[in-house]
Amino acid sequence: MIKCLKKHTALATCLLLSLVISTQTQGANNQATPQLVLGVQTFQDKSKTLNEWTPIVAHLNQQLHSVQLDLQVYFLDELNTAVRDKKVDLIFSNPQAYINLAVTQGLSSPLASLMTLVDHQPIRVFGGVIATRSDYDHINDYKDIRRRIIAAPSIDGFGGYLMQKRELQNHGIQIYPFQVLTTGSQDLAISALLDGQAEIAFVRTGVLESLTKDGRIQKGQIKVLGQKDAPNFPLALSTQLYPEWPLSALDHVDMFHASEITGAFLGIPYGHPVLEAANLYGFSIPTDYEQIRQLMMELNVPPYEKTNTILLNSFINQHRMAVHVGLVAMVLFIIMLGVILFFNYRLKRSNEQLIERDEDLRIAAVAFETQKAVVITDKFEQIIRVNYAFSEITGFSNDEVMGQTPGILRSRKHNQNFYAKIWPKILADGSWQGEICNRRKNGELYPTFQVINAIKNDQNEITHFLFAFNDISEQKRNERNIYEMAFYDPLTGLANRRLLENHITKALAAAERHHHYCALMFIDLDHFKNLNDSLGHNFGDELLKRVAARLERCVRKEDIVARPGGDEFIILMENLSTDESEAANQALAIANKIIEQCNRAYTLSGNRYTITASLGIHLFSSGDHTSIELMKRSDLAMYQAKEQGRNSVRFFDPDMEKKVENRSQLEHDLRQAIDNREFLLFYQKKVNAQEELQGYEALIRWPHPEKNMISPADFIPVAEETGLIIPIGDWVLEQACQTLQQFQQNKDTQHLNLSVNVSVKQFRQADFVPKIIAKINHYNIDSSKLELEITESMLMDNLEDTVTKMKELKTIGLAFSLDDFGTGYSSLSYLKNLPLSTLKVDKSFVRDMLIDKEDAAIVETIIALAKTLKLQVIAEGVEQIEQVDTLKKLGCDLFQGFLYSKPQPLE
């Protein structure tokens, strides 16, 4: 009996020693894994934050295999120091701290955003609250805050001061430093309000609800000023909402590690127990933090102001000697403190080493029951022990695998050469690690990350092998999801722009080597917006998926079909002929097939819908062009197809690119012309039937300093498209008012009126009417002498707004003329409702009225219509006396054209 006990005792001792050696060896391997420090900012007790985040970091470390995280908790000042000294690698901080550190220390863009949990509802934003006591009847609105004492945690806190300050500034309320009572915490700010030390309190969203829940304030005791109703936001709110805390990395962190850690954070399931324990919901892809940066810049908050730096430098320069003495004393103190701590550490470490020796066996036993599957074999690879996690992962019980080899798990996904390369490394180096596909008892395959260690005795002989692995199926799924999010369109499953650019770059290199042609085809659906507007975006999305499927059926297997966005598709065709003409025919054949397929009707929710497509193709084989330039050229060809009637195919022509470049240069010159005031106003006479001068029309001219006079027909469309017509139009109105002021100062010209053209975009400006009134009052002119010429196209868009503005200006005497009447969608329905004074007959009708009966009839009809509506008629483009005679007989009132004068500067 005693011999038997001794035998079992010896066997247990050997087993425990093997586990110790295994643990030490695994520890050595773990030390090779990079350790990155995650710094988490806190405003509360550090130990509480540490307790909340430790399970989260532990969960993350279980998902990571190329890097491990070490958790550190910091107050804000400590976090700033840690980032500056590179003692942390990644940080979770409040948005204001993130922006400050990103500017001063260089942080990455946000990797993920925090989502908190409020009343079982996830939110990823927060805001500020402006509160007062419910019994303060004299404070009910923002305007009542002026000169009141405000309790706030600090004057530089984001949720407890800066948000509220900006909100009040937006309402014209200025906060002064003498008004603010700083309390140091959110809770104390509310206490100061209730105690009567302040009349207003600034706090972060959620504070009032938390205090009420804890019974520290009574429901109805506090009222919120300017309360906003934010959808899906369950807390009281007075300000704009801003994104919650971001995760970011310092610039020295390896991109691969940052990507893996980001994936691990995003991969934590929402509502996971480690998150609920910290009152969190989860982590999402990062939101836009630019609005926070704008707020800090607007409020002149560090790092976007230099006042404190200047004061500090001034103080140091004035007290340089005292500062130096203080620094030397501080250094000496730190050295003495370090010496004391060092000796204290040595004493403490000696005591710990004695304790560690007694704990080694216990730790080895606990470590064996880890979440990783652990298998121990003898030197012949026969299994002698497995842990509980092994059975959970593989489905095999302990009894089923005893005496077997780990080969029982082989999936046959790897050949013999794969395993033949592993064992030489284990025998030579003592360990191996990597990914292996295993098979469960039920036959299911699953990926693992496996570590194999050889355990040796004192004579360096192998006595056991230790296999440790974990199931990385979820990690692989997350990696695959992240990859698909990064490189594929979520709606159609096609490649996105990023993946397409990678393929184009590779295609360029291959074409350069093999001298074959490639083609880039840009496809845009014609009038797709009409579908979205009429049937809704759900129908539009369904159509895009149908089109994507048809495109994939039209191309070859090796071709790439991508959707960069909207209703645009791009196809990359490689390995076309080495002959350009033959390659073009190959691409055209596929393009015609696509046109034919797209023209076939689609059935959407029981309704048939037909849509066409415009295609642009660019052939390339080599050159210095980038993928962006190639896509731009195929895009230009597509627009050429649209301009030539749509539902067609066009190849790229270099003249297109030249046209776009000229247009871009014209826009650049136009912006400079506005800055340099290069424009002039020319004036064309308007006379009555007795050829008496009645007024002028002001017409803009552009004498380009290098290209001579540029026609308005060339630059006005560009100005309209880019919005530059607004500053140009303001300048024309300014000059016209100055001219009218000069007319009124001379009795011979006091009777003259002046008309100016107004664009649609000018008229749509919210301040258009006040701007006109301000100019009239500034120059003190007779408003009845100013006439605004509008076009029919202006009346087709938002007629109600147009009529309102015209009537408002009509009340102060302004006259309106409808320009180019008859060339658009003329309608009596709007003519009778508009406060017009004049109809202007377009010069295209006047020019041919003597030789074209249809034009003559149109002119006669317009004049008759004007007389019926009691409107004055002016004919433009008059160049012949015969035209004047005919127009007089028809009852035309005024005449304008080269017969009387060309547009020219006033004498």
Side-chain angles (χ1 to χ4, degrees), residues 185-243:
S185 73
Q186 310 264 353
D187 297 359
L188 292 178
I190 297 299
S191 297
L193 171 66
L194 296 177
D195 294 344
Q197 301 177 47
E199 296 172 278
I200 305 294
F202 289 173
V203 292
R204 187 188 193 276
T205 52
V207 171
L208 295 180
E209 290 81 358
S210 176
L211 293 176
T212 303
K213 182 178 180 181
D214 294 343
R216 298 169 62 183
I217 62 175
Q218 300 300 318
K219 191 171 183 180
Q221 199 173 4
I222 300 292
K223 64 181 176 181
V224 177
L225 301 182
Q227 185 159 357
K228 298 179 181 295
D229 183 17
N232 301 320
F233 188 77
L235 301 172
L237 178 70
S238 300
T239 71
Q240 180 180 342
L241 289 170
Y242 297 87

Side-chain angles (χ1 to χ4, degrees), residues 34-144:
Q35 293 281 337
L36 299 186
V37 177
L38 171 64
V40 177
Q41 181 189 347
T42 184
F43 290 107
Q44 59 186 7
D45 181 19
K46 280 188 180 181
S47 60
K48 180 179 179 182
T49 302
L50 190 64
N51 289 335
E52 291 174 347
W53 275 83
T54 295
I56 298 175
V57 172
H59 177 81
L60 291 171
N61 282 333
Q62 292 173 7
Q63 311 306 314
L64 300 171
H65 60 264
S66 66
V67 69
Q68 291 287 286
L69 291 177
D70 180 24
L71 174 64
Q72 295 293 332
V73 177
Y74 299 101
F75 292 124
L76 180 58
D77 292 343
E78 296 172 342
L79 180 64
N80 291 336
T81 303
V83 172
R84 183 195 63 202
D85 297 341
K86 307 292 186 182
K87 291 184 178 180
V88 292
D89 303 287
L90 302 100
I91 65 168
F92 249 117
S93 62
N94 74 74
Q96 181 188 6
Y98 163 71
I99 296 295
N100 196 343
L101 290 171
V103 173
T104 59
Q105 302 298 330
L107 298 181
S108 70
S109 299
L111 305 176
S113 291
L114 190 66
M115 298 177 68
T116 59
L117 197 61
V118 177
D119 292 336
H120 304 290
Q121 179 174 345
I123 58 175
R124 58 192 299 184
V125 291
F126 71 106
V129 178
I130 304 175
T132 188
R133 283 169 42 172
S134 299
D135 57 354
Y136 281 173
D137 297 333
H138 59 290
I139 303 176
N140 297 293
D141 201 352
Y142 285 157
K143 65 179 183 296
D144 301 327

Side-chain angles (χ1 to χ4, degrees), residues 491 525-550 598 600-612:
L491 177 65
L525 302 182
D526 299 327
H527 305 299
F528 178 76
K529 184 176 183 296
N530 294 342
L531 173 66
N532 271 342
D533 292 344
S534 59
L535 300 180
H537 289 281
N538 290 337
F539 286 90
D541 289 346
E542 181 61 29
L543 177 63
L544 291 174
K545 289 190 284 188
R546 301 279 187 87
V547 171
R550 291 188 183 182
C598 286
R600 290 172 48 214
Y602 299 85
T603 302
L604 303 175
S605 297
N607 300 315
R608 292 175 63 81
Y609 189 84
T610 303
I611 195 167
T612 60

Side-chain angles (χ1 to χ4, degrees), residues 551-564:
L551 291 178
E552 290 189 297
R553 290 196 296 269
C554 291
V555 300
R556 305 167 303 170
K557 288 184 178 180
E558 64 267 30
D559 296 334
I560 303 298
V561 183
R563 177 179 175 248

